[in-house]
Amino acid sequence: MSKYCDGRWAIVGRYGSGGLALYNFDGAEWKLIPQDSEYESGFGPCYTERYLREMGVPNIVLTEGPNCNG
């Protein structure tokens, strides 16, 4: 399922799993953006705000995506 998609960035996950990942469309195909950290709770991989900002993601990705702060 897709939680967010603007044609360039997409937050997707498997329904009911709670796990989300970030994808970027490069003009030809969607590519998974590898997570750069892990939740302190041990829940799994996440993205740091700095990493996301360096990629230039829209602000909604910072609040709705699997970022390590939320």
Side-chain angles (χ1 to χ4, degrees):
M1 73 170 245
S2 174
K3 185 173 182 180
Y4 170 81
C5 183
D6 67 3
R8 181 165 178 230
W9 296 98
I11 302 169
V12 298
R14 182 175 293 200
Y15 182 77
S17 72
L20 296 172
L22 180 63
Y23 286 80
N24 177 254
F25 189 68
D26 69 3
E29 63 184 343
W30 287 98
K31 300 214 178 196
L32 174 66
I33 303 297
Q35 293 92 343
D36 68 326
S37 192
E38 296 258 338
Y39 289 104
E40 288 181 19
S41 66
F43 182 67
C46 59
Y47 302 94
T48 60
E49 183 176 344
R50 179 179 178 190
Y51 181 64
L52 293 173
R53 288 195 185 279
E54 286 174 356
M55 287 187 286
V57 301
N59 284 336
I60 193 167
V61 173
L62 296 171
T63 58
E64 299 294 324
N67 71 69
C68 300
N69 300 330

